[in-house]
Amino acid sequence: MPRFVVEADGGSRGNPGPAGYGAVVLDPVTGETLAERAEFIGVATNNVAEYRGLIAGLKAARELAPDAEVRVRMDSKLVVEQMSGRWKIKHPDMRPLAAEAATILPRAQVTYEWIPRERNKHADRLANEAMDAGRRGRQWEPSASTAALTPAGSPGNAPAPAGPPGDAAKGAAAVRAALAAGAAGRPDASGDSATATGSRAPAATGAPGTAAAAAGSATASGTAGDAGLTPGAARTAATDVRAARSAAAPGTGTLFGDAGTASGTAAPTGAAADVRAARSAAAPEADTLFDEAEALTPAQGSAQALANAQAGTEAPAGAGQTRATAGGTGWGGPDMGVPATFVLLRHGETALTPQKRFSGSGGTDPELSPAGRRQAAAVAEALAARGTVQAVVSSPLLRCRETAQAVGDRLGLPVTVEEGLRETDFGAWEGLTFAEVRERFPDDLQAWLDSPKAAPTGGGESFAAVTRRVSAARDRLLSAYAGRTVLLVTHVTPVKTLVRLALGAPPESLFKMELSAASLSAVAYYADGNASVRLLNDTSHLR
């Protein structure tokens, strides 16, 4: 029975944005290229492009030998784990693609392996060529491809520079070496990315030091034509710059998921280093998350992937799943793709805000005060300057809708109302100060402070009830805006609840967070169900 290796990749310059995929079929013994596939697919997300690359690669292998054993290698942990049957396929756009991929070859003939991006360069270059062709209004042509021309011993395939993460001297030296290898080209940070990753991973800010600065000023981003390099040299330089960044700046997450937006910008450069490369530098021996002994058999994995794709059900728990959850944090964890990022904006001030009066969903529904309108205008300008918000969703209450409309008008985005984002109903406490409630309803207030199940006097909502409502709204929005950056304009309790749930903090933590009017917070939600709090109570735009 013949054996093939299929390497596949896909990228989107915007996510969603202009997208393409690449796939290559290799002889596992000689490394010879047996078939190549690439296509510009229009506007799509990174994950859709990656699945399309997988499908194309499997079909190419089937054309060569329908009875072949195929080892699929991809740098998308999401696709590998979903097709192996270990992760649930949540997004509706992914399910038909996964189902199609699972039926191209018999289940027992296909296995899946995650590899670092630096080992998936051939497919990466093919995907990039497809996106470059699409930018010119054309489709990829095999005769024009140079994806397979970088030899195994070239700088483009060299391992990442040695040294601990954050080693600025080694990182800067590697960048200079990469640029020297590219001959007399000029650095260009404004063109399309020379990689096929687009903006599919959450960005990481570079560690302070010369390496981050060097990577920013000496980036190999841009097409070969833009930079004045030969295609091979441009791609080699881009690969080495990415490797240098990964060694020099493992970094920390950006606030709003800048790298995962549809702002129309190129892949992040400079301080916004690539998270997956950084993870590889931080944990160079962790090529795969799962040991071979822990993986499902090919038949089990493909069967479970097909069942998940068709029904959207949870995969059976096992050692692999447990390790996936445990590995979801830290630099050695799996690549979860682009998260859905909720930018949480508390509304601007009303007349009740400076007086610190209870103002929930059961009161007078006040409008923004003049100060609140100024705050809304200020935050709108700040978000427009950042350029990462792709949708605006608001609580139904007037103060939020007015704040959201100010932002939506500035960004050119419509405002959608989500009922679940409304503030707590404070019952008989509406319009009162804390001192007034303590004077009039001391027992009820103490019970409310002591238990999340206690409701305010007069039939208000308990924090437990608010948590259920906000959690349901969160899940609806995650389904509707998977992989996107969304502004949620809401209130104190919903924002604190979303942050609390993301942190896994107890209910009493609600009383331990400060949240100013018109402040920004942010939470990123990943494909495995984990969440990351990126920002809390930022008011820098108001100063």
mmCIF file of all heavy atoms in Angstrom, residues 290-338:
data_model
loop_
_atom_site.group_PDB
_atom_site.id
_atom_site.type_symbol
_atom_site.label_atom_id
_atom_site.label_comp_id
_atom_site.label_asym_id
_atom_site.label_seq_id
_atom_site.Cartn_x
_atom_site.Cartn_y
_atom_site.Cartn_z
ATOM 1 N N PHE A 290 0.091 15.752 21.893
ATOM 2 C CA PHE A 290 -0.286 14.405 22.316
ATOM 3 C C PHE A 290 0.809 13.414 21.949
ATOM 4 O O PHE A 290 1.344 13.445 20.849
ATOM 5 C CB PHE A 290 -1.578 13.973 21.628
ATOM 6 C CG PHE A 290 -2.714 14.905 21.900
ATOM 7 C CD1 PHE A 290 -3.061 15.863 20.979
ATOM 8 C CD2 PHE A 290 -3.423 14.835 23.078
ATOM 9 C CE1 PHE A 290 -4.095 16.731 21.226
ATOM 10 C CE2 PHE A 290 -4.458 15.696 23.335
ATOM 11 C CZ PHE A 290 -4.802 16.655 22.407
ATOM 12 N N ASP A 291 1.107 12.525 22.858
ATOM 13 C CA ASP A 291 2.006 11.422 22.529
ATOM 14 C C ASP A 291 1.281 10.461 21.610
ATOM 15 O O ASP A 291 0.069 10.345 21.633
ATOM 16 C CB ASP A 291 2.438 10.687 23.803
ATOM 17 C CG ASP A 291 3.267 11.588 24.703
ATOM 18 O OD1 ASP A 291 3.946 12.491 24.172
ATOM 19 O OD2 ASP A 291 3.219 11.390 25.929
ATOM 20 N N GLU A 292 2.042 9.741 20.796
ATOM 21 C CA GLU A 292 1.418 8.790 19.881
ATOM 22 C C GLU A 292 0.537 7.801 20.618
ATOM 23 O O GLU A 292 -0.509 7.386 20.150
ATOM 24 C CB GLU A 292 2.497 8.036 19.088
ATOM 25 C CG GLU A 292 3.174 8.885 18.022
ATOM 26 C CD GLU A 292 2.228 9.272 16.918
ATOM 27 O OE1 GLU A 292 1.299 8.492 16.621
ATOM 28 O OE2 GLU A 292 2.402 10.353 16.341
ATOM 29 N N ALA A 293 0.963 7.383 21.811
ATOM 30 C CA ALA A 293 0.203 6.381 22.552
ATOM 31 C C ALA A 293 -1.145 6.903 23.007
ATOM 32 O O ALA A 293 -2.055 6.130 23.279
ATOM 33 C CB ALA A 293 0.997 5.916 23.774
ATOM 34 N N GLU A 294 -1.297 8.221 23.093
ATOM 35 C CA GLU A 294 -2.540 8.787 23.586
ATOM 36 C C GLU A 294 -3.526 9.090 22.464
ATOM 37 O O GLU A 294 -4.689 9.363 22.716
ATOM 38 C CB GLU A 294 -2.261 10.079 24.344
ATOM 39 C CG GLU A 294 -1.449 9.866 25.599
ATOM 40 C CD GLU A 294 -1.148 11.183 26.257
ATOM 41 O OE1 GLU A 294 -1.690 12.192 25.826
ATOM 42 O OE2 GLU A 294 -0.365 11.185 27.202
ATOM 43 N N ALA A 295 -3.056 9.086 21.229
ATOM 44 C CA ALA A 295 -3.923 9.476 20.120
ATOM 45 C C ALA A 295 -4.933 8.388 19.805
ATOM 46 O O ALA A 295 -4.710 7.206 20.042
ATOM 47 C CB ALA A 295 -3.069 9.759 18.871
ATOM 48 N N LEU A 296 -6.076 8.814 19.243
ATOM 49 C CA LEU A 296 -7.050 7.839 18.769
ATOM 50 C C LEU A 296 -6.489 7.134 17.550
ATOM 51 O O LEU A 296 -5.643 7.651 16.830
ATOM 52 C CB LEU A 296 -8.355 8.552 18.391
ATOM 53 C CG LEU A 296 -9.087 9.286 19.519
ATOM 54 C CD1 LEU A 296 -10.291 9.999 18.927
ATOM 55 C CD2 LEU A 296 -9.534 8.323 20.595
ATOM 56 N N THR A 297 -6.982 5.948 17.278
ATOM 57 C CA THR A 297 -6.599 5.268 16.051
ATOM 58 C C THR A 297 -7.197 6.027 14.880
ATOM 59 O O THR A 297 -8.157 6.775 15.032
ATOM 60 C CB THR A 297 -7.143 3.827 16.031
ATOM 61 O OG1 THR A 297 -8.573 3.887 16.015
ATOM 62 C CG2 THR A 297 -6.672 3.059 17.246
ATOM 63 N N PRO A 298 -6.660 5.851 13.651
ATOM 64 C CA PRO A 298 -7.208 6.572 12.512
ATOM 65 C C PRO A 298 -8.705 6.371 12.359
ATOM 66 O O PRO A 298 -9.439 7.322 12.117
ATOM 67 C CB PRO A 298 -6.411 6.000 11.335
ATOM 68 C CG PRO A 298 -5.131 5.528 11.940
ATOM 69 C CD PRO A 298 -5.475 5.053 13.318
ATOM 70 N N ALA A 299 -9.154 5.141 12.467
ATOM 71 C CA ALA A 299 -10.580 4.892 12.267
ATOM 72 C C ALA A 299 -11.408 5.563 13.348
ATOM 73 O O ALA A 299 -12.432 6.181 13.078
ATOM 74 C CB ALA A 299 -10.849 3.386 12.268
ATOM 75 N N GLN A 300 -10.943 5.463 14.608
ATOM 76 C CA GLN A 300 -11.678 6.099 15.689
ATOM 77 C C GLN A 300 -11.715 7.601 15.516
ATOM 78 O O GLN A 300 -12.752 8.237 15.671
ATOM 79 C CB GLN A 300 -11.018 5.755 17.031
ATOM 80 C CG GLN A 300 -11.219 4.322 17.475
ATOM 81 C CD GLN A 300 -10.385 4.026 18.701
ATOM 82 O OE1 GLN A 300 -9.280 4.530 18.855
ATOM 83 N NE2 GLN A 300 -10.929 3.199 19.576
ATOM 84 N N GLY A 301 -10.554 8.185 15.190
ATOM 85 C CA GLY A 301 -10.493 9.639 15.080
ATOM 86 C C GLY A 301 -11.353 10.158 13.953
ATOM 87 O O GLY A 301 -12.137 11.084 14.125
ATOM 88 N N SER A 302 -11.254 9.567 12.768
ATOM 89 C CA SER A 302 -12.034 10.046 11.642
ATOM 90 C C SER A 302 -13.519 9.818 11.850
ATOM 91 O O SER A 302 -14.347 10.641 11.476
ATOM 92 C CB SER A 302 -11.577 9.368 10.352
ATOM 93 O OG SER A 302 -10.229 9.686 10.085
ATOM 94 N N ALA A 303 -13.864 8.688 12.433
ATOM 95 C CA ALA A 303 -15.277 8.420 12.689
ATOM 96 C C ALA A 303 -15.846 9.446 13.653
ATOM 97 O O ALA A 303 -16.956 9.954 13.469
ATOM 98 C CB ALA A 303 -15.449 7.012 13.263
ATOM 99 N N GLN A 304 -15.063 9.769 14.697
ATOM 100 C CA GLN A 304 -15.553 10.751 15.661
ATOM 101 C C GLN A 304 -15.628 12.134 15.031
ATOM 102 O O GLN A 304 -16.552 12.901 15.294
ATOM 103 C CB GLN A 304 -14.640 10.784 16.884
ATOM 104 C CG GLN A 304 -15.212 11.593 18.038
ATOM 105 C CD GLN A 304 -16.490 10.982 18.563
ATOM 106 O OE1 GLN A 304 -16.530 9.814 18.908
ATOM 107 N NE2 GLN A 304 -17.543 11.779 18.605
ATOM 108 N N ALA A 305 -14.651 12.472 14.177
ATOM 109 C CA ALA A 305 -14.690 13.767 13.516
ATOM 110 C C ALA A 305 -15.917 13.891 12.631
ATOM 111 O O ALA A 305 -16.579 14.926 12.592
ATOM 112 C CB ALA A 305 -13.418 13.973 12.672
ATOM 113 N N LEU A 306 -16.236 12.816 11.894
ATOM 114 C CA LEU A 306 -17.411 12.849 11.035
ATOM 115 C C LEU A 306 -18.674 12.985 11.867
ATOM 116 O O LEU A 306 -19.573 13.766 11.538
ATOM 117 C CB LEU A 306 -17.474 11.572 10.186
ATOM 118 C CG LEU A 306 -18.673 11.460 9.227
ATOM 119 C CD1 LEU A 306 -18.687 12.646 8.277
ATOM 120 C CD2 LEU A 306 -18.603 10.159 8.452
ATOM 121 N N ALA A 307 -18.734 12.243 12.973
ATOM 122 C CA ALA A 307 -19.914 12.347 13.832
ATOM 123 C C ALA A 307 -20.031 13.744 14.424
ATOM 124 O O ALA A 307 -21.118 14.321 14.484
ATOM 125 C CB ALA A 307 -19.838 11.310 14.951
ATOM 126 N N ASN A 308 -18.906 14.313 14.849
ATOM 127 C CA ASN A 308 -18.941 15.673 15.392
ATOM 128 C C ASN A 308 -19.374 16.679 14.352
ATOM 129 O O ASN A 308 -20.129 17.606 14.626
ATOM 130 C CB ASN A 308 -17.552 16.062 15.923
ATOM 131 C CG ASN A 308 -17.213 15.341 17.203
ATOM 132 O OD1 ASN A 308 -18.054 14.679 17.803
ATOM 133 N ND2 ASN A 308 -15.956 15.470 17.632
ATOM 134 N N ALA A 309 -18.867 16.509 13.128
ATOM 135 C CA ALA A 309 -19.200 17.455 12.075
ATOM 136 C C ALA A 309 -20.679 17.402 11.728
ATOM 137 O O ALA A 309 -21.304 18.426 11.460
ATOM 138 C CB ALA A 309 -18.369 17.157 10.817
ATOM 139 N N GLN A 310 -21.254 16.206 11.733
ATOM 140 C CA GLN A 310 -22.649 16.066 11.351
ATOM 141 C C GLN A 310 -23.595 16.455 12.476
ATOM 142 O O GLN A 310 -24.657 17.030 12.224
ATOM 143 C CB GLN A 310 -22.920 14.628 10.911
ATOM 144 C CG GLN A 310 -22.203 14.270 9.608
ATOM 145 C CD GLN A 310 -22.308 12.799 9.286
ATOM 146 O OE1 GLN A 310 -22.546 11.975 10.167
ATOM 147 N NE2 GLN A 310 -22.134 12.470 8.021
ATOM 148 N N ALA A 311 -23.227 16.135 13.718
ATOM 149 C CA ALA A 311 -24.160 16.361 14.821
ATOM 150 C C ALA A 311 -23.742 17.479 15.753
ATOM 151 O O ALA A 311 -24.552 17.970 16.530
ATOM 152 C CB ALA A 311 -24.319 15.068 15.638
ATOM 153 N N GLY A 312 -22.490 17.905 15.692
ATOM 154 C CA GLY A 312 -22.020 18.946 16.604
ATOM 155 C C GLY A 312 -21.960 18.483 18.043
ATOM 156 O O GLY A 312 -22.058 19.277 18.964
ATOM 157 N N THR A 313 -21.786 17.184 18.270
ATOM 158 C CA THR A 313 -21.775 16.655 19.634
ATOM 159 C C THR A 313 -20.372 16.643 20.185
ATOM 160 O O THR A 313 -19.396 16.728 19.449
ATOM 161 C CB THR A 313 -22.338 15.226 19.657
ATOM 162 O OG1 THR A 313 -21.576 14.414 18.743
ATOM 163 C CG2 THR A 313 -23.793 15.218 19.235
ATOM 164 N N GLU A 314 -20.277 16.513 21.490
ATOM 165 C CA GLU A 314 -18.980 16.510 22.172
ATOM 166 C C GLU A 314 -18.274 15.184 21.941
ATOM 167 O O GLU A 314 -18.896 14.134 21.951
ATOM 168 C CB GLU A 314 -19.207 16.714 23.673
ATOM 169 C CG GLU A 314 -17.960 17.126 24.416
ATOM 170 C CD GLU A 314 -17.593 18.566 24.102
ATOM 171 O OE1 GLU A 314 -18.412 19.456 24.335
ATOM 172 O OE2 GLU A 314 -16.476 18.776 23.644
ATOM 173 N N ALA A 315 -16.965 15.263 21.703
ATOM 174 C CA ALA A 315 -16.184 14.044 21.540
ATOM 175 C C ALA A 315 -16.069 13.326 22.872
ATOM 176 O O ALA A 315 -16.065 13.949 23.927
ATOM 177 C CB ALA A 315 -14.794 14.383 21.008
ATOM 178 N N PRO A 316 -15.946 11.991 22.866
ATOM 179 C CA PRO A 316 -15.790 11.267 24.128
ATOM 180 C C PRO A 316 -14.543 11.733 24.855
ATOM 181 O O PRO A 316 -13.521 11.989 24.239
ATOM 182 C CB PRO A 316 -15.653 9.805 23.674
ATOM 183 C CG PRO A 316 -16.204 9.763 22.298
ATOM 184 C CD PRO A 316 -15.965 11.110 21.700
ATOM 185 N N ALA A 317 -14.648 11.847 26.161
ATOM 186 C CA ALA A 317 -13.490 12.281 26.946
ATOM 187 C C ALA A 317 -12.438 11.194 26.939
ATOM 188 O O ALA A 317 -12.734 10.010 26.942
ATOM 189 C CB ALA A 317 -13.913 12.593 28.380
ATOM 190 N N GLY A 318 -11.186 11.597 26.935
ATOM 191 C CA GLY A 318 -10.102 10.630 26.966
ATOM 192 C C GLY A 318 -8.828 11.322 27.374
ATOM 193 O O GLY A 318 -8.798 12.499 27.664
ATOM 194 N N ALA A 319 -7.725 10.567 27.374
ATOM 195 C CA ALA A 319 -6.463 11.152 27.807
ATOM 196 C C ALA A 319 -6.080 12.320 26.931
ATOM 197 O O ALA A 319 -5.590 13.335 27.398
ATOM 198 C CB ALA A 319 -5.366 10.082 27.772
ATOM 199 N N GLY A 320 -6.315 12.181 25.601
ATOM 200 C CA GLY A 320 -5.969 13.273 24.700
ATOM 201 C C GLY A 320 -6.733 14.527 25.015
ATOM 202 O O GLY A 320 -6.187 15.614 25.030
ATOM 203 N N GLN A 321 -8.034 14.387 25.302
ATOM 204 C CA GLN A 321 -8.827 15.569 25.614
ATOM 205 C C GLN A 321 -8.352 16.222 26.894
ATOM 206 O O GLN A 321 -8.288 17.434 26.995
ATOM 207 C CB GLN A 321 -10.299 15.177 25.772
ATOM 208 C CG GLN A 321 -11.066 15.175 24.465
ATOM 209 C CD GLN A 321 -12.533 15.025 24.724
ATOM 210 O OE1 GLN A 321 -12.948 14.016 25.271
ATOM 211 N NE2 GLN A 321 -13.318 15.990 24.341
ATOM 212 N N THR A 322 -8.042 15.435 27.870
ATOM 213 C CA THR A 322 -7.590 15.998 29.129
ATOM 214 C C THR A 322 -6.308 16.790 28.926
ATOM 215 O O THR A 322 -6.158 17.892 29.430
ATOM 216 C CB THR A 322 -7.351 14.882 30.157
ATOM 217 O OG1 THR A 322 -8.561 14.141 30.329
ATOM 218 C CG2 THR A 322 -6.894 15.456 31.479
ATOM 219 N N ARG A 323 -5.411 16.251 28.163
ATOM 220 C CA ARG A 323 -4.163 16.961 27.917
ATOM 221 C C ARG A 323 -4.417 18.236 27.134
ATOM 222 O O ARG A 323 -3.743 19.231 27.328
ATOM 223 C CB ARG A 323 -3.206 16.057 27.141
ATOM 224 C CG ARG A 323 -2.626 14.936 27.963
ATOM 225 C CD ARG A 323 -1.496 15.438 28.859
ATOM 226 N NE ARG A 323 -0.351 15.844 28.059
ATOM 227 C CZ ARG A 323 0.553 15.012 27.574
ATOM 228 N NH1 ARG A 323 0.453 13.713 27.801
ATOM 229 N NH2 ARG A 323 1.569 15.468 26.883
ATOM 230 N N ALA A 324 -5.405 18.220 26.214
ATOM 231 C CA ALA A 324 -5.700 19.418 25.436
ATOM 232 C C ALA A 324 -6.133 20.549 26.332
ATOM 233 O O ALA A 324 -5.713 21.683 26.179
ATOM 234 C CB ALA A 324 -6.790 19.120 24.410
ATOM 235 N N THR A 325 -6.986 20.249 27.294
ATOM 236 C CA THR A 325 -7.438 21.288 28.208
ATOM 237 C C THR A 325 -6.284 21.789 29.060
ATOM 238 O O THR A 325 -6.099 22.980 29.245
ATOM 239 C CB THR A 325 -8.558 20.744 29.113
ATOM 240 O OG1 THR A 325 -9.626 20.297 28.279
ATOM 241 C CG2 THR A 325 -9.060 21.808 30.066
ATOM 242 N N ALA A 326 -5.488 20.858 29.564
ATOM 243 C CA ALA A 326 -4.371 21.265 30.405
ATOM 244 C C ALA A 326 -3.364 22.075 29.622
ATOM 245 O O ALA A 326 -2.723 22.967 30.160
ATOM 246 C CB ALA A 326 -3.702 20.031 31.000
ATOM 247 N N GLY A 327 -3.221 21.764 28.321
ATOM 248 C CA GLY A 327 -2.226 22.457 27.522
ATOM 249 C C GLY A 327 -2.717 23.768 26.963
ATOM 250 O O GLY A 327 -2.013 24.418 26.228
ATOM 251 N N GLY A 328 -3.932 24.165 27.292
ATOM 252 C CA GLY A 328 -4.492 25.362 26.706
ATOM 253 C C GLY A 328 -3.910 26.645 27.252
ATOM 254 O O GLY A 328 -4.199 27.707 26.745
ATOM 255 N N THR A 329 -3.119 26.589 28.306
ATOM 256 C CA THR A 329 -2.501 27.777 28.848
ATOM 257 C C THR A 329 -1.009 27.652 28.741
ATOM 258 O O THR A 329 -0.459 26.564 28.674
ATOM 259 C CB THR A 329 -2.896 27.964 30.327
ATOM 260 O OG1 THR A 329 -2.488 26.802 31.059
ATOM 261 C CG2 THR A 329 -4.392 28.161 30.477
ATOM 262 N N GLY A 330 -0.315 28.797 28.713
ATOM 263 C CA GLY A 330 1.146 28.775 28.640
ATOM 264 C C GLY A 330 1.608 28.715 27.193
ATOM 265 O O GLY A 330 0.848 28.493 26.260
ATOM 266 N N TRP A 331 2.917 28.900 27.015
ATOM 267 C CA TRP A 331 3.475 28.972 25.661
ATOM 268 C C TRP A 331 3.476 27.636 24.957
ATOM 269 O O TRP A 331 3.493 27.579 23.742
ATOM 270 C CB TRP A 331 4.900 29.512 25.745
ATOM 271 C CG TRP A 331 4.921 30.950 26.104
ATOM 272 C CD1 TRP A 331 5.326 31.507 27.275
ATOM 273 C CD2 TRP A 331 4.484 32.040 25.301
ATOM 274 N NE1 TRP A 331 5.164 32.861 27.251
ATOM 275 C CE2 TRP A 331 4.663 33.216 26.051
ATOM 276 C CE3 TRP A 331 3.968 32.138 24.015
ATOM 277 C CZ2 TRP A 331 4.333 34.467 25.561
ATOM 278 C CZ3 TRP A 331 3.646 33.395 23.529
ATOM 279 C CH2 TRP A 331 3.825 34.536 24.286
ATOM 280 N N GLY A 332 3.469 26.543 25.691
ATOM 281 C CA GLY A 332 3.524 25.241 25.053
ATOM 282 C C GLY A 332 2.173 24.724 24.637
ATOM 283 O O GLY A 332 2.062 23.627 24.134
ATOM 284 N N GLY A 333 1.094 25.489 24.829
ATOM 285 C CA GLY A 333 -0.245 25.013 24.544
ATOM 286 C C GLY A 333 -0.529 24.959 23.056
ATOM 287 O O GLY A 333 0.235 25.442 22.226
ATOM 288 N N PRO A 334 -1.678 24.376 22.693
ATOM 289 C CA PRO A 334 -2.023 24.233 21.284
ATOM 290 C C PRO A 334 -2.456 25.545 20.669
ATOM 291 O O PRO A 334 -2.867 26.470 21.367
ATOM 292 C CB PRO A 334 -3.204 23.250 21.323
ATOM 293 C CG PRO A 334 -3.824 23.493 22.657
ATOM 294 C CD PRO A 334 -2.686 23.796 23.581
ATOM 295 N N ASP A 335 -2.372 25.613 19.342
ATOM 296 C CA ASP A 335 -2.872 26.769 18.620
ATOM 297 C C ASP A 335 -4.375 26.625 18.458
ATOM 298 O O ASP A 335 -4.846 25.696 17.814
ATOM 299 C CB ASP A 335 -2.192 26.831 17.249
ATOM 300 C CG ASP A 335 -2.823 27.887 16.363
ATOM 301 O OD1 ASP A 335 -3.477 28.803 16.903
ATOM 302 O OD2 ASP A 335 -2.654 27.779 15.141
ATOM 303 N N MET A 336 -5.138 27.528 19.038
ATOM 304 C CA MET A 336 -6.594 27.449 18.999
ATOM 305 C C MET A 336 -7.188 28.265 17.864
ATOM 306 O O MET A 336 -8.397 28.439 17.805
ATOM 307 C CB MET A 336 -7.176 27.953 20.338
ATOM 308 C CG MET A 336 -6.733 27.141 21.527
ATOM 309 S SD MET A 336 -7.240 25.424 21.402
ATOM 310 C CE MET A 336 -6.394 24.742 22.811
ATOM 311 N N GLY A 337 -6.370 28.803 16.999
ATOM 312 C CA GLY A 337 -6.904 29.653 15.960
ATOM 313 C C GLY A 337 -7.249 31.031 16.520
ATOM 314 O O GLY A 337 -6.905 31.391 17.636
ATOM 315 N N VAL A 338 -7.954 31.809 15.734
ATOM 316 C CA VAL A 338 -8.315 33.165 16.134
ATOM 317 C C VAL A 338 -9.452 33.116 17.144
ATOM 318 O O VAL A 338 -10.488 32.506 16.898
ATOM 319 C CB VAL A 338 -8.733 33.989 14.904
ATOM 320 C CG1 VAL A 338 -9.195 35.375 15.331
ATOM 321 C CG2 VAL A 338 -7.577 34.092 13.932
#
